[in-house]
Amino acid sequence: GPPTAPRGAHGVTIRAAGPADEDMVTDLELRLIRYDMHFGGPVWRAGTASLVREEIRGSLARPATWTWLAEYGGHPVGLLVAQPPQDSGWIAGMTSTSPAAYLQTMFVDTRERGTGIGAALVRNLHARLDAAGVAVTLLHHSQVNPLSAPFWYRMGYRPLWTSWESRPATALR
Protein backbone atom coordinates (compact mmCIF):
# COMPACT_ATOMS: atom_id res chain seq x y z
CA GLY A 1 0.00 0.00 0.00
CA PRO A 2 0.95 3.67 0.06
CA PRO A 3 3.57 4.68 2.64
CA THR A 4 2.14 5.78 5.95
CA ALA A 5 3.10 9.09 7.48
CA PRO A 6 5.94 8.79 9.99
CA ARG A 7 4.95 8.83 13.65
CA GLY A 8 5.15 12.35 15.04
CA ALA A 9 5.50 13.79 18.52
CA HIS A 10 2.33 14.65 20.43
CA GLY A 11 1.02 18.10 19.51
CA VAL A 12 3.96 18.85 17.22
CA THR A 13 3.63 19.88 13.59
CA ILE A 14 6.51 19.24 11.21
CA ARG A 15 6.48 21.32 8.06
CA ALA A 16 8.79 22.34 5.26
CA ALA A 17 10.42 25.71 5.84
CA GLY A 18 10.26 28.45 3.22
CA PRO A 19 11.60 31.97 2.67
CA ALA A 20 9.16 33.45 5.23
CA ASP A 21 10.79 31.28 7.93
CA GLU A 22 14.26 32.81 7.57
CA ASP A 23 14.22 34.43 11.03
CA MET A 24 13.02 31.25 12.78
CA VAL A 25 15.51 28.99 11.02
CA THR A 26 18.37 31.44 11.62
CA ASP A 27 17.49 31.66 15.33
CA LEU A 28 17.48 27.86 15.71
CA GLU A 29 20.74 27.45 13.75
CA LEU A 30 22.48 30.08 15.92
CA ARG A 31 21.14 28.43 19.08
CA LEU A 32 22.60 25.13 17.87
CA ILE A 33 26.01 26.74 17.30
CA ARG A 34 25.94 28.26 20.80
CA TYR A 35 24.92 24.89 22.29
CA ASP A 36 27.67 23.02 20.42
CA MET A 37 30.24 25.51 21.74
CA HIS A 38 29.82 23.82 25.16
CA PHE A 39 31.46 20.73 23.68
CA GLY A 40 34.45 22.35 21.98
CA GLY A 41 32.80 22.48 18.57
CA PRO A 42 32.34 25.71 16.65
CA VAL A 43 33.96 29.04 17.46
CA TRP A 44 31.76 32.13 17.48
CA ARG A 45 33.12 34.88 15.25
CA ALA A 46 31.96 38.42 14.50
CA GLY A 47 30.49 37.33 11.16
CA THR A 48 28.87 34.08 12.31
CA ALA A 49 25.28 35.33 12.49
CA SER A 50 25.38 37.10 9.12
CA LEU A 51 27.07 34.14 7.38
CA VAL A 52 24.51 31.70 8.81
CA ARG A 53 21.62 33.96 7.76
CA GLU A 54 23.05 34.31 4.24
CA GLU A 55 23.38 30.52 3.85
CA ILE A 56 19.84 29.98 5.16
CA ARG A 57 18.38 32.63 2.86
CA GLY A 58 19.90 30.87 -0.15
CA SER A 59 18.79 27.44 1.04
CA LEU A 60 15.19 28.51 1.72
CA ALA A 61 14.93 30.15 -1.71
CA ARG A 62 15.36 26.80 -3.50
CA PRO A 63 12.24 25.34 -5.11
CA ALA A 64 12.52 22.05 -3.17
CA THR A 65 13.35 22.70 0.46
CA TRP A 66 15.46 20.32 2.52
CA THR A 67 14.73 22.25 5.71
CA TRP A 68 11.97 21.30 8.16
CA LEU A 69 10.63 23.02 11.26
CA ALA A 70 8.94 21.37 14.21
CA GLU A 71 6.37 23.64 15.83
CA TYR A 72 4.55 23.24 19.12
CA GLY A 73 1.79 25.66 20.06
CA GLY A 74 2.69 27.73 17.01
CA HIS A 75 6.30 28.20 18.15
CA PRO A 76 9.39 26.73 16.48
CA VAL A 77 10.94 24.08 18.75
CA GLY A 78 13.03 22.04 16.33
CA LEU A 79 14.92 22.19 13.06
CA LEU A 80 16.30 19.64 10.62
CA VAL A 81 18.34 20.56 7.54
CA ALA A 82 19.55 17.97 5.04
CA GLN A 83 21.48 17.99 1.79
CA PRO A 84 20.07 15.97 -1.13
CA PRO A 85 22.39 13.56 -2.96
CA GLN A 86 23.25 16.17 -5.61
CA ASP A 87 24.73 18.37 -2.84
CA SER A 88 26.30 15.54 -0.80
CA GLY A 89 29.13 14.54 -3.12
CA TRP A 90 31.68 16.01 -0.70
CA ILE A 91 30.94 13.20 1.80
CA ALA A 92 29.36 10.46 -0.33
CA GLY A 93 32.76 8.76 -0.84
CA MET A 94 32.86 7.77 2.83
CA THR A 95 30.54 4.85 2.00
CA SER A 96 30.11 2.56 -0.99
CA THR A 97 26.30 2.80 -0.74
CA SER A 98 24.62 5.36 -2.97
CA PRO A 99 22.88 7.64 -3.47
CA ALA A 100 23.77 9.32 -0.18
CA ALA A 101 22.15 12.30 1.54
CA TYR A 102 23.69 14.32 4.37
CA LEU A 103 21.89 15.31 7.55
CA GLN A 104 23.46 18.72 8.16
CA THR A 105 21.59 20.15 11.15
CA MET A 106 19.28 18.79 13.82
CA PHE A 107 18.33 20.90 16.82
CA VAL A 108 15.60 20.73 19.42
CA ASP A 109 14.94 23.50 21.94
CA THR A 110 16.59 22.58 25.26
CA ARG A 111 13.22 22.79 27.07
CA GLU A 112 11.68 20.29 24.64
CA ARG A 113 14.39 17.61 24.60
CA GLY A 114 13.22 14.12 25.46
CA THR A 115 9.68 14.68 24.15
CA GLY A 116 10.14 12.88 20.82
CA ILE A 117 10.49 15.98 18.64
CA GLY A 118 13.99 15.11 17.42
CA ALA A 119 12.95 11.54 16.60
CA ALA A 120 9.87 12.83 14.75
CA LEU A 121 12.04 15.20 12.68
CA VAL A 122 14.42 12.37 11.77
CA ARG A 123 11.57 9.96 10.93
CA ASN A 124 10.06 12.64 8.68
CA LEU A 125 13.38 12.98 6.83
CA HIS A 126 13.86 9.21 6.56
CA ALA A 127 10.36 8.76 5.10
CA ARG A 128 11.07 11.39 2.45
CA LEU A 129 14.50 9.94 1.65
CA ASP A 130 13.09 6.41 1.42
CA ALA A 131 10.37 7.62 -0.96
CA ALA A 132 13.05 9.31 -3.09
CA GLY A 133 15.19 6.17 -3.24
CA VAL A 134 18.07 7.56 -1.18
CA ALA A 135 20.09 4.56 0.02
CA VAL A 136 22.03 6.02 2.95
CA THR A 137 22.08 9.14 5.13
CA LEU A 138 25.34 10.39 6.59
CA LEU A 139 25.91 12.88 9.41
CA HIS A 140 28.50 14.24 11.78
CA HIS A 141 27.71 14.55 15.47
CA SER A 142 29.56 15.63 18.57
CA GLN A 143 31.12 12.66 20.36
CA VAL A 144 31.49 14.67 23.55
CA ASN A 145 27.85 15.79 23.68
CA PRO A 146 26.39 13.17 26.07
CA LEU A 147 22.97 13.28 24.35
CA SER A 148 24.25 12.92 20.79
CA ALA A 149 25.60 9.37 20.37
CA PRO A 150 22.71 7.65 22.21
CA PHE A 151 20.14 9.62 20.17
CA TRP A 152 21.70 8.87 16.79
CA TYR A 153 22.16 5.21 17.75
CA ARG A 154 18.42 4.99 18.53
CA MET A 155 17.72 6.54 15.12
CA GLY A 156 19.65 3.72 13.44
CA TYR A 157 22.96 5.46 12.76
CA ARG A 158 26.31 3.70 13.27
CA PRO A 159 29.84 5.16 13.18
CA LEU A 160 31.78 5.05 9.93
CA TRP A 161 34.82 6.81 11.35
CA THR A 162 35.84 8.60 14.52
CA SER A 163 38.37 11.37 14.99
CA TRP A 164 39.90 12.63 18.21
CA GLU A 165 41.67 15.86 18.92
CA SER A 166 43.42 17.38 21.88
CA ARG A 167 42.97 21.01 22.86
CA PRO A 168 45.42 22.55 23.33
CA ALA A 169 47.66 20.41 21.17
CA THR A 170 50.48 20.89 23.69
CA ALA A 171 48.50 18.63 26.04
CA LEU A 172 49.80 15.71 23.97
CA ARG A 173 53.46 16.57 24.65
Side-chain angles (χ1 to χ4, degrees):
T4 57
R7 186 167 44 92
H10 182 71
V12 173
T13 302
I14 295 175
R15 65 172 180 84
D21 299 311
E22 181 183 317
D23 288 344
M24 281 189 275
V25 174
T26 300
D27 177 60
L28 290 165
E29 283 271 11
L30 294 176
R31 287 169 58 198
L32 171 63
I33 292 169
R34 288 187 197 103
Y35 179 77
D36 280 350
M37 288 170 66
H38 293 288
F39 306 105
V43 175
W44 193 272
R45 293 184 172 88
T48 297
S50 59
L51 288 170
V52 167
R53 179 176 290 278
E54 190 177 312
E55 181 180 331
I56 288 165
R57 184 176 295 139
S59 170
L60 294 177
R62 294 183 183 151
T65 187
W66 282 72
T67 301
W68 292 271
L69 285 166
E71 294 176 325
Y72 182 76
H75 301 287
V77 292
L79 172 70
L80 189 146
V81 182
Q83 292 178 342
Q86 60 266 28
D87 296 336
S88 299
W90 64 274
I91 194 167
M94 295 304 294
T95 178
S96 59
T97 308
S98 68
Y102 181 71
L103 201 163
Q104 175 180 316
T105 301
M106 215 285 293
F107 178 74
V108 173
D109 185 290
T110 52
R111 295 162 298 199
E112 302 293 340
R113 294 203 179 118
T115 63
I117 293 170
L121 279 163
V122 173
R123 283 192 300 268
N124 174 69
L125 174 68
H126 287 170
R128 292 168 188 275
L129 294 175
D130 289 348
V134 174
V136 65
T137 308
L138 303 171
L139 60 84
H140 289 94
H141 73 83
S142 170
Q143 289 286 353
V144 295
N145 174 344
L147 301 175
S148 197
F151 174 81
W152 291 115
Y153 195 88
R154 284 193 308 273
M155 294 293 99
Y157 289 81
R158 299 297 180 267
L160 286 175
W161 73 99
T162 303
S163 61
W164 297 87
E165 64 182 71
S166 175
R167 289 187 185 180
T170 55
L172 290 173
R173 296 188 187 100

